[in-house]
Each structure stands twice: as structure tokens, then as C-alpha cells.
Amino acid sequence: MCCAHADTVGSPRSSSLKSSQPSLSTSPTSDLYTVSIEEAISYYWGVSPTPPKLVYRSSSTKRPYARPKGWRKFKEARGVFGHKLNAAWKDVGPQVRDLLNTHQMYWTSIDVVRFIADGENEYKKIHGPVVIWIGVFSGSLQGEDAFRASNEILDLLKGFDIVDVEVEFRESIYRRSAGPALLKSVYDSNPTVGVRRPLSHVLGLSIATADRPTAQGNMALYFAEGGDSDKILGLTCHHVLFETDEECVLEGDTSRRHVQLLGTDAFNDLLASIKICIGSHASSLEDDEEQIQLLEAKVVAGAGESVAKKLDKTRDGLDKTNRAIADLEKFYEKVQEEWSEPGCRIIGHIRFSPAVTVDDGGFAEDWSALELDNSKFKDAFQGNVLDIRTDRLSLINWVEKMQRRTGSQAGFDYPLDDNLPLRDTMTLERMQSPGIVDRAGETCIFVIKNGQASGVTIGRATGLFSFVRSGNTGLGSMAWAIYNYGCDNGHVDAFSKPGDSGSVIVGALGVCLLVVRRLWRLRMLRRCGGFGLALSNSFRMRIFVQLLAFISGSYSY
């Protein structure tokens, strides 16, 4: 279950929680009300990636647990519709809640659910009865207490002429937030540094709308709403979120269109990347173990001090690799448990997304503003920073590619924590006369982006605007072309690929390639420690911002 409770009723010191032993105890006085460890673990198999443990079920006497024959059958949770309990729940629900409070149970959630299970074949499903599904904290409830509470709930239902509902208790935790907060950045010493970026706060987050999880793009920038508001908003492309070019203004809870972190493919790619990282570490274990055996034999044979030191170093490396594998496996389990449900990855909703048009200057306006869930960002948020870490480029590669001729503007300094902060914006004058010369003596603007499809890449911006036209709509506009960096040992990396839409492009010194026009002003977000935009007029007014290097599409050449 993704949803599990930060707000609870009752206390761990209450009478029903007097024992710290889990409900799987097998004391003689509670044997009639407890479930076996096997049933507790397997009863909800298939309901979620990490199924909850069963504590007690009122149907245990009527349908005793039987070990499944052959393969384990999966269950799926379904909503309840058209049942007598639906009409009565507005009265029954509060009374069930009050009953649990009276028993001082440390409960976390009360749901109404119906389970379906695998039948004799893949086409036949077994539909179970309606269940009042109660979540409790692990180890907080004894089977005997659950038995008494269940009987009282069943008696309560009889008063409403409902006799075909069962009661089940499970272990669970509920959080008010739709999912976990984004992760903080870590240094290279942390084994997860290379795989946690998609779940962190840095720019280039892979996003999708909750109703179109297979259409993925990126979030470009964070900005402030302005005034007295402390809301954090995000910027992306209209076409990342919508299939059509129609204007969309969404207000109120009922009309909200939610945006989630990582669409279907991106989340699967994240899991695969963690497995690959684990496999990479594991592949070196066998070599290290063989090396240790050889060195140990040499030490026994009387080899010198240098061999003994090498043996100690190899052992330390083996221990470090084992710890890294253990940390990555824990991280993989954490990602599956906390992020696998799409609802757990919701980070905000669309605030305003005007139709794609061409403004008076000939530039396409293809953008959407997202209102972000502050609770997901507040602990890790550092403002607008771009993670430029990539396995394709070493520190030496970065220096070589970004090196400028002596005498031109300040060179590129690779950030120690891999996060390049955005410090300024690009003006038209700087675009046309950058004052930067590469090693070959050519005027240049080196730019960097981190996109979902192609990752971290380096490109070269031009000093002139290009003209582009959509093959789908025929809409023509001007744009700032970014060319590939060039050939490297016979290989050319594309600067961007389909799926990079929404990525922000920055200069080597953290300059955001942004031209701000009418109704907007820039400010530094001191509270967030980064670069931001603040509204100076009503948010619903058309926003005249041109992200010239804000990727809204790509083309081959």
C-alpha cells in the first residue's frame, strides 16, 4: 500500500497496546485469534509490491487458511460500488472510527475494499466479499483485541441490515502526503549517488501527467509565485502535458490535473539502472576474491611487506564493494516500496497552460506552469541547480571540452557536488557577442543540459535565431539552435533526443539561456538559495517569457 498514517488516533501506551509483541504471537490464550506467520505474510500477496501483513480476519473460522497448492495465487484490491454499505457508510464509517477509538487502538486507516483473486485459470477470477479493512501499526494489536473489535463492528452492521461484510486488520502506515519527499543530493562517497538523481530536487526532473504516464518530458525551472506567497512553481512545455494545443486553466480541487515524477518508462528505467549498478559492483567481487586468495598464499610463503599491504588494500576494497551492494539493494527496496505506485509520485498539479502560439516577436510560446507540493521539496530544495554528473564524462573530459583560450572570459569550474547553480540569465547582447573563444580560437557559447532521454550533454549555441515549423500543425516560429558539441574519437553524441522536451539549457557559468519580456521581473530566491522568477501581475495573465533554449522539440541535421 502506498498510503499508510502519519496522523493517528490512540497511543502506544493504551491498554490494547500493552504488549509489545507482534500479533503473530502464539501464546495459548490467543491461539484462537492469531494467524500463522505463513498466512500473515502471504494472505495479501499481489495487493502491492510490498504486501501488508494480515493481523486478524473475521472469516478465519468460516474459511480457515489452507496452504495454496501449486503456484501462489495473487490478490488485487478493488473499489466497492452498489453495495448496501455504500449508502450507509456515511453513518457506519464514523461509528467504526469511534469504536476503534473507544478500544484505544493504534489504528492508521479504515477502508472499504473488495478483493479478487486468481481462479483456476488466468481468465477466471474469484470475487471476495466486501471487507472493512483496518490498518494498524506493526506489533500494536493482539489477535484477541482484534477479535472483540471485529465482533462489535459486525454487530454494528447488523443494525443497518448488513450481514455480508467481513472485517480484516492489517499492518500499515499512512502518510498525508501523496508520496515521499524528494531525496537530498549526496556526494560521490554514497553508493547511490549515480542512481538517485531522478528522485531528487535538481533540475531536469522527468515528469508526466497522471492520466498520460507514457508521455514523458522534463521540468525546466523552479520559480516563485511572488508577493507574500511561499509557493514554489515549476515550468515545463505545454505539449509535454497535453496532446492538443488548446489553452488550459485549471482551478479548484475537482479540476486539478496532477503531475507525477517519472512516467511509466522512466520509473522502470530507474529500477533497471539500480540493478545495473548492483551488477557492476557484483562483477568485481569474484576478481577481488581470487586476488585475495593469491595474495594470502604469497604472504604465507613469506612475501614482503608490499604484498601484505596490497592484501589489506584488496580486502578493504572487497568490504567496500559488499557495503555498496548492500546499500544499493536497500535503496532498490526503498524505491519499490515508496515510489512504485504512480500516486506516490505526484509532485503537484497544472496551474496554467496556455495554448501554443507564436508571439509578436515570432517565438513560439509553448509552456506550462505547475504548482508544486511544497512538502515534497522543502527538506531537500536548494533552488535551481542542474546535476551534471554523468558516467560518460570524467572530470578531465569536462575540463577538455569546456576549456577556453587564455584571455577570454572566466573558464568552467566543475562543481564539487556535481550541482551547477543557475546564477544569471542570458541577454540578447551576450548571445550575439559572448566574448568567449574556444581552444581553436572560435567564438563559442558552450551549453549544458540534462534531459530524461539523452542525459547530460554538452552543445554549442549559435548567435542567430533559427526558423522552425511544426510538421504536425504547420506552426512556424523562431528558435535558438543548439548544435552537437562535435566528434569525439569518431563518435558524436546528439545534444537532445525526443523525450528531452522541457529540459532547461544553461551556460558553462550557470547562465540560464533566458530572455524575459513584459510583465515579469527577475529576483534571487534567498529563501530557496537559488535563481527564481516572480510574478508582478496576476498569474492568470498571459506570461510573456521566452525560454529560447528551453527544449520544446528537436530536429535532425
Side-chain angles (χ1 to χ4, degrees):
M1 289 284 292
C2 167
C3 296
H5 270 279
D7 58 325
T8 57
V9 178
S11 165
R13 298 187 295 272
S14 62
S15 60
S16 64
L17 311 176
K18 57 183 177 292
S19 171
S20 62
Q21 298 298 317
S23 59
L24 306 181
S25 65
T26 56
S27 61
T29 58
S30 62
D31 279 347
L32 295 176
Y33 314 114
T34 57
V35 297
S36 67
I37 294 178
E38 181 181 351
E39 180 181 7
I41 294 174
S42 63
Y43 187 76
Y44 291 119
W45 191 264
V47 169
S48 73
T50 53
K53 289 182 179 180
L54 173 70
V55 176
Y56 173 82
R57 60 186 176 93
S58 63
S59 62
S60 58
T61 303
K62 182 170 53 178
R63 293 192 306 276
Y65 174 75
R67 176 176 292 183
K69 298 179 181 180
W71 66 88
R72 180 176 289 171
K73 295 184 178 181
F74 285 81
K75 284 186 177 179
E76 299 176 40
R78 292 289 187 268
V80 176
F81 305 94
H83 191 273
K84 190 179 293 186
L85 184 58
N86 288 70
W89 186 244
K90 64 181 184 298
D91 299 314
V92 172
Q95 293 187 53
V96 171
R97 176 202 61 201
D98 294 343
L99 187 152
L100 298 178
N101 291 344
T102 299
H103 281 273
Q104 295 183 307
M105 287 189 178
Y106 203 26
W107 64 271
T108 62
S109 57
I110 305 170
D111 304 299
V112 179
V113 66
R114 187 193 298 272
F115 296 103
I116 64 171
D118 291 338
E120 297 177 356
N121 55 63
E122 60 180 317
Y123 302 105
K124 185 176 182 180
K125 297 289 185 179
I126 300 173
H127 293 259
V130 172
V131 175
I132 293 181
W133 207 25
I134 301 170
V136 295
F137 272 91
S138 176
S140 69
L141 182 63
Q142 295 296 310
E144 187 173 356
D145 295 320
F147 168 77
R148 285 196 293 265
S150 295
N151 284 342
E152 293 184 26
I153 292 172
L154 294 175
D155 289 340
L156 169 65
L157 292 172
K158 290 178 183 177
F160 290 85
D161 195 27
I162 300 174
V163 295
D164 57 347
V165 171
E166 296 177 355
V167 179
E168 295 179 5
F169 287 85
R170 80 204 188 271
E171 293 183 355
S172 74
I173 297 174
Y174 173 77
R175 299 180 179 89
R176 285 189 180 275
S177 176
L182 271 69
L183 305 181
K184 295 181 179 180
S185 297
V186 295
Y187 288 100
D188 286 344
S189 57
N190 190 310
T192 68
V193 65
V195 293
R196 67 192 288 125
R197 189 198 73 82
L199 299 176
S200 68
H201 66 283
V202 294
L203 296 179
L205 293 180
S206 176
I207 60 173
T209 52
D211 57 351
R212 294 178 65 217
T214 58
Q216 300 167 146
N218 301 263
M219 189 169 70
L221 290 169
Y222 299 108
F223 60 100
E225 186 176 39
D228 297 328
S229 173
D230 63 350
K231 291 180 179 178
I232 300 174
L233 296 97
L235 191 65
T236 188
C237 289
H238 178 95
H239 77 266
V240 167
L241 307 176
F242 297 92
E243 290 183 280
T244 67
D245 289 339
E246 298 176 1
E247 179 168 307
C248 181
V249 181
L250 300 173
E251 297 180 331
D253 292 343
T254 58
S255 64
R256 283 182 178 177
R257 189 168 186 178
H258 292 290
V259 174
Q260 70 182 49
L261 186 66
L262 301 177
T264 303
D265 292 341
F267 183 75
N268 291 335
D269 289 344
L270 170 61
L271 293 178
S273 71
I274 302 173
K275 286 186 175 181
I276 291 172
C277 195
I278 293 173
S280 177
H281 284 288
S283 65
S284 66
L285 288 179
E286 186 174 345
D287 291 339
D288 287 343
E289 289 170 350
E290 291 179 358
Q291 180 77 352
I292 288 173
Q293 290 178 358
L294 292 174
L295 293 172
E296 286 175 340
K298 290 182 178 180
V299 170
V300 171
E305 183 179 354
S306 61
V307 176
K309 288 182 178 180
K310 186 175 182 180
L311 174 60
D312 291 339
K313 184 177 180 180
T314 306
R315 285 172 173 168
D316 290 340
L318 182 65
D319 291 339
K320 184 178 179 181
T321 300
N322 279 319
R323 289 194 299 270
I325 291 174
D327 289 343
L328 285 165
E329 288 176 341
K330 289 179 181 178
F331 185 67
Y332 184 87
E333 294 174 359
K334 178 183 176 69
V335 171
Q336 279 197 314
E337 179 179 353
E338 297 184 2
W339 299 87
S340 60
E341 290 290 334
C344 295
R345 303 199 298 272
I346 291 176
I347 58 172
H349 62 272
I350 300 171
R351 180 81 168 267
F352 184 44
S353 190
V356 178
T357 58
V358 177
D359 67 9
D360 297 340
F363 296 101
E365 293 185 0
D366 179 6
W367 61 271
S368 294
L370 315 176
E371 183 173 327
L372 303 177
D373 182 349
N374 283 19
S375 67
K376 303 290 183 67
F377 293 82
K378 63 181 181 181
D379 292 334
F381 189 62
Q382 298 177 359
N384 282 305
V385 294
L386 186 69
D387 183 357
I388 59 174
R389 184 182 187 278
T390 174
D391 293 334
R392 295 198 299 265
L393 294 173
S394 66
L395 180 58
I396 295 177
N397 295 145
W398 274 104
V399 173
E400 290 177 347
K401 286 181 175 292
M402 306 296 284
Q403 186 176 354
R404 306 172 183 186
R405 173 171 288 188
T406 303
S408 65
Q409 289 186 0
F412 173 75
D413 291 324
Y414 190 93
L416 295 178
D417 62 354
D418 304 312
N419 293 327
L420 181 66
L422 274 62
R423 299 186 177 93
D424 201 355
T425 56
M426 177 69 71
T427 63
L428 185 62
E429 291 75 17
R430 291 171 66 182
M431 169 201 166
Q432 295 174 338
S433 302
I436 302 170
V437 180
D438 65 12
R439 289 178 296 174
E442 297 180 7
T443 300
C444 65
I445 303 177
F446 291 131
V447 295
I448 309 165
K449 77 104 191 54
N450 190 343
Q452 169 61 30
S454 57
V456 177
T457 55
I458 303 173
R460 295 172 179 263
T462 66
L464 294 171
F465 295 121
S466 299
F467 294 85
V468 295
R469 186 174 66 176
S470 170
N472 296 326
T473 65
L475 189 68
S477 62
M478 291 194 297
W480 197 352
I482 307 295
Y483 299 116
N484 299 329
Y485 181 87
C487 183
D488 188 3
N489 295 323
H491 178 74
V492 178
D493 281 325
F495 182 72
S496 66
K497 298 177 181 178
D500 284 332
S501 290
S503 301
V504 68
I505 302 173
V506 302
L509 301 180
V511 177
C512 178
L513 307 192
L514 175 74
V515 174
V516 182
R517 309 168 62 241
R518 286 181 285 174
L519 301 184
W520 283 70
R521 60 186 175 86
L522 296 176
R523 72 171 182 178
M524 299 300 291
L525 288 179
R526 293 183 180 178
R527 180 178 65 83
C528 299
F531 170 83
L533 300 173
L535 286 170
S536 59
N537 285 59
S538 169
F539 188 85
R540 289 199 57 188
M541 296 183 68
R542 184 170 300 279
I543 302 172
F544 292 92
V545 174
Q546 181 54 54
L547 279 173
L548 296 175
F550 167 61
I551 296 180
S552 59
S554 60
Y555 57 90
S556 302
Y557 55 89

